[in-house]
Structure formats: structure tokens, C-alpha cells
Amino acid sequence: MDGERLFCGTALAERIERADAQFVAACADATRLRLGGGPGFTRSLAGGVATFAEPDSPFTKVAGLGFAGLPGSAELDEVEAAFAELGAPVQVELSQLAEAGTGAFFTARGYRLESYENVLGRRLERGSFPGDVRACRDDELETWLSAVAEATAVPDEQGLPSHEDFPRELLVNALRDMAGVRRYLAERDGEFAGGASFRVTDGIAQFSGAATLPAHRRRGVQTALLRARLAAAAEAGCDLAVVTTQPGSKSQQNVQRQGFDLLYARAILVKGTSATSSSGADRRQAS
């Protein structure tokens, strides 16, 4: 922490990436549980995790590595073979602050740079909870999933376009499988306007699954959802909130207005091809 701004060195980046790997692994496990088992896997890889949840899932990837040395060639051979056996590309999300040489290691093995995503964060303090946002009740889960998937399927045009195009059913399942999250909804004039969630991992509030229905955009819905989660995360004892956005997006602009600082970028490196992606993967609107 540095004055009024949040400075991110390698130690903080490692903490965030470790929490992200835990989140991804938990979500992949939830997917396989929903499917009653199956051919998926979760494997440790060089301080991170390699997961296969289901075909073309946003939780089928490699996350969190780059801070515990390079993967062994034989170890990575096994991971690549496991993905290939299931017909999936290998997608690596690599922090800009990972150990030097990690990116070159992957590109030398045939991985191509497909896109970037930005990781932003801010310290937490007690705040008020907006009156137009509330926790999602258990009996509202299906409505929340359907509405957030519908909103996510119509992305904002500001900033770089997302490089994934998920079918609606896959989006709903991915939102359902976000393990351990707390879900919130915002209303306008008695209507569902938007939803969002966060998960607590080792004192980090990981903001995810946020979207506003097109008819309610530019009405302060995302700001209200952000403030609600900031207040709830502080109440839960978190010291840090983290969010991932598309570079230059409206979501990034919204979170920066709420005091988030740009901490680092992740490079999306891919080997192989996917049915859902012509150019790579950004898994979420995450503000």
C-alpha cells in the first residue's frame, strides 16, 4: 500500500494470482459436481493451477502461475496432453508481473498472444450499502442467473471487444458454478436491473459476474452494485477488493471511478483452438 494509491509489486500480484487460482479450481470442481463427475481435472502447475471443467468453459484454463519458477517441460507436456485428449486448447492467463522469462517460455512452445485483461484493486473501508441493491435470495437464483447471462451476452461497446463468445446456456452454467460467491441484485422501478457477485479468498474480495440489462445501462446500476459489494466485503473483513475487466471498457471506467487502481495486465496465451473463441478468451464482465 502506498499513500492514497494502491501500489502493486510482485508480492501483491502473487497473492492475487494465488487467490484467482483457488477460485478457478473451486469453480471447476463445482462444474464437475454439477455434471456428476466426468473427464475433467484440476492439477497444480508451477504455483498455479490447470483445470478442465467442461468443454469451452471459462474455468477450463491455466491460472495463477508465474511466481514459483517455470513449469518443468515434462510437467507441461502432461498438462498439454490432458487438454488435447479432451479436445480443448490450453489457455494460460499470465500476469504482467510474473517472473522474467515466463512469457518467452510459453511462446517458444507455440503459444500465441490472443488478448489482455486488466486487474484492478483497492483497499477497503467501511461504507454504506445502497438502498436499491440487496442480496439475492435462494428462491431468486434462477432469475439472477438468467438475467445476468442475458445482460452479459450484450456487451458494452466501449473499449476492446471481448475475445470470447459463449452460448447462453454455457454462461448460465458458468455463473451457477462460481463457487462460494455472494450474489446481489439491483432494481430500478421495481424491475431487475443488474446483478453482481463477489467471493472472499484469503482476505481478498474477488468481484465477478457483474452485468446490467441493456435497458438499465447508464443509470448508475453498476456503481450501486460496486458500492454494495465494497461495503459487504469490508464487513466480511477483507482488506482488498480485486476486479478483472476488459482494457478500456466501461467496466474499467466504472471501477476506477470507485477508487480502484490499475494493478497489472494479464496476457492471454493460447495453444490450440476452441469452438467458442475465434481469437481467445475474456471470461467475464467483472465490475
Side-chain angles (χ1 to χ4, degrees), residues 110-274:
Y111 286 76
R112 64 188 181 276
L113 175 64
E114 294 223 334
S115 190
Y116 296 95
E117 59 186 28
N118 286 338
V119 178
L120 300 96
R122 59 161 285 175
R123 60 173 59 83
L124 289 169
E125 56 191 23
R126 297 296 176 120
S128 58
F129 200 95
D132 50 356
V133 177
R134 59 179 175 80
C136 176
R137 301 191 307 264
D138 290 345
D139 63 347
E140 296 175 311
L141 176 59
E142 296 305 319
T143 298
W144 188 96
L145 294 172
S146 178
V148 173
E150 178 184 343
T152 302
V154 186
D156 228 309
E157 295 182 356
Q158 179 174 321
L160 296 178
S162 174
H163 49 285
E164 273 179 340
D165 184 16
F166 291 122
R168 185 180 183 281
E169 182 179 359
L170 193 59
L171 279 173
V172 170
N173 285 336
L175 290 164
R176 187 188 304 279
D177 295 337
M178 290 193 304
V181 300
R182 309 179 188 198
R183 297 181 174 91
Y184 297 87
L185 60 87
E187 295 178 318
R188 287 188 67 246
D189 301 324
E191 297 182 356
F192 188 110
S197 62
F198 80 94
R199 168 187 160 107
V200 176
T201 305
D202 295 337
I204 297 176
Q206 298 163 297
F207 287 14
S208 61
T212 302
L213 290 167
H216 298 283
R217 290 177 182 171
R218 309 297 190 267
R219 298 293 187 273
V221 173
Q222 283 301 306
T223 297
L225 287 166
L226 277 167
R227 289 177 176 170
R229 287 178 292 166
L230 288 169
E235 182 68 26
C238 296
D239 65 288
L240 177 69
V242 172
V243 63
T244 305
T245 71
Q246 280 289 98
S249 64
K250 187 65 178 178
S251 291
Q252 179 175 341
Q253 184 180 48
N254 284 339
V255 298
Q256 288 193 258
R257 285 173 173 168
Q258 292 303 310
F260 283 77
D261 289 310
L262 178 59
L263 304 182
Y264 57 88
R266 290 191 187 116
I268 312 300
L269 304 171
V270 179
K271 188 176 185 179
T273 58
S274 167

